[in-house]
Amino acid sequence: MTQHPTDAADRTDPIRIVCLVALATSHGLIRLAERYLPEFVVAIGSGPIVAGALVSLGLGVAVAASRRSSDADAGPTSDLAPAAAAVASVLVAAVGLLAWAGAPTLDALLGTPLSALGWLAVGIVLLQAWYVRGPVRDLWPTDTRAAAPPSSAVPARDETSIRRGAIDGRRTWIVVGALGLAAAAVFAAAAVASAGGVRAGFTIVAATGAAVTLVGAVALGSAGERTSTLAGRVLGDGLAEGNRDGESETHRDETTTAAPADAESPLGAVSSAASRLPDRRRWAVIGDALVRVALAGSWPFLILLVVEYRSIGLSIGGLSLAPAAVFGLFVLAEAAGAVVGAVAAPALASRLDRRAVLAVGLAVVSLLPMGLVAAPSNAGIVAVLFALLGCRTAIEPLRPTVGESARVAPVPGPRLPDAVGTAVQVAVVPAPLIGGLLYAVDPIFAFTIATTVGLLGVRELGRAFAFGRP
């Protein structure tokens, strides 16, 4: 494997710095635009069902593209292919943001019959390139719509070293991603406040994101052949090479184990793969998958809850912020919580029972959406709840379907079969659409159902953990 220099002079290369700042900021702006999308959809005259359908569309496209991308990666590739794919993904994402920014006016400018919703759908499809092939797709908030299943392909070390390495290796990605999201949240709050509403504010956020993303693409392309991923450019070769080694090992393992399933139907392959898992590991995967489905069905509508249903504004002295602008500050609190969770993760993993940490953490995360429904209409209290949402970074390395290594999860076992990992991703796809349907009936009903599903998942995790035994 080619080694790249990582001395001090190389790390301060201006191109590396521009790549990190531009792409981390782009990541934050993309995530903020996605968080504001449901409210923008309502502002242009549609409702939560349409918003949920758009989110489900994006998830479905990402899962399908991820599978095709994984198949392509299994074949021979040149050293330049990853770099070209990374630049292309950034450019495609920039076009997607431009489609979002111009959604209300592009039909008049181009003479197309798509309508604003049509251009939003085009944009959300194009933005999936960011999650499938983007160079910073591992930055927090980590999105598992296109992530590979957790792998146990890690160096042969003792369990404590594996656990510490998995958690410490993610800390830089979380902190950098949280800083990008925090900057984007402040900008979004200011844009919405200055524009006088979410419709114009969303356009400003999306257009700015497109501009910053184009800068990142230029900087990424200017690096040429020196490196193929942002991790190698900025965050050090050790982490990047470790990820590449794990991915290549995963592909080798999939190649040797997936052949017998070729003759089976997709459902048969999932059933066969799941039946081969030990009972406790299967319960853990089912429990974590239920929590993922519950969160996917409720989180896109948090902005509607805060802005439309609760209408939580903020007044400081002579400054008064509308609920849509205040939502950006809530996301800022979530980013701060993410940093706290990342810092606390090593201590929690080393000093407490990981099973208890994961079970309590997922229970809290599942209950927080209902907490937002029941909390007083006070911006400070709601900000604390969003900060607790951000603290989920403390448990993400331990989650059976999200964590990076099956050996780090509280219920260790073999690598999660590819068919099972894909099934979990597919199960999440319709959750936002179903959540939108329920939210259109009644917001409290929608969040109650989501919380119930999440707590059922925690119950399954409890069965897997069997606290009375190691």
Side-chain angles (χ1 to χ4, degrees), residues 370-398:
M370 275 303 296
L372 290 170
V373 172
S377 297
N378 180 282
I381 294 176
V382 174
V384 170
L385 294 176
F386 270 87
L388 288 175
L389 283 176
C391 288
R392 67 187 183 274
T393 53
I395 61 172
E396 283 177 353
L398 307 176

Side-chain angles (χ1 to χ4, degrees), residues 193-286:
S194 61
V198 73
R199 183 165 180 164
F202 177 85
T203 300
I204 294 172
V205 171
T208 304
V212 176
T213 303
L214 287 174
V215 172
V218 171
L220 200 60
S222 300
E225 301 180 10
R226 279 180 284 176
T227 51
S228 61
T229 65
L230 181 66
R233 288 191 174 116
V234 184
L235 301 180
D237 294 313
L239 180 58
E241 289 175 3
N243 290 341
R244 290 193 294 269
D245 290 342
E247 290 169 1
S248 62
E249 180 66 27
T250 298
H251 287 304
R252 287 196 297 271
D253 190 45
E254 289 172 0
T255 301
T256 59
T257 59
D262 288 344
E264 293 182 297
S265 67
L267 289 177
V270 172
S271 176
S272 177
S275 66
R276 290 194 295 268
L277 290 174
D279 287 344
R280 293 174 62 193
R281 181 149 171 75
R282 183 168 60 252
W283 294 334
V285 170
I286 292 173

Side-chain angles (χ1 to χ4, degrees), residues 25 75 79 86 125 149 200 343:
T25 304
D79 292 338
V125 169
V343 173

Side-chain angles (χ1 to χ4, degrees), residues 132-189:
V132 177
R133 283 289 192 174
V136 292
R137 60 186 180 273
D138 288 331
L139 287 181
W140 188 86
T142 305
D143 198 299
T144 56
R145 70 186 74 179
S151 172
S152 58
V154 294
R157 296 173 290 168
D158 61 274
E159 184 179 349
T160 301
S161 298
I162 294 170
R163 188 188 316 164
R164 185 182 302 114
I167 294 175
D168 291 347
R170 288 293 305 161
R171 191 183 307 168
T172 300
W173 293 97
I174 291 172
V175 172
V176 173
L179 290 175
L181 185 69
V186 173
F187 177 80

Side-chain angles (χ1 to χ4, degrees), residues 339-362:
V339 175
V340 173
V343 173
L348 292 175
S350 61
R351 299 179 185 177
L352 300 176
D353 188 333
R354 288 174 294 155
R355 297 171 295 183
V357 170
L358 181 57
V360 172
L362 288 182

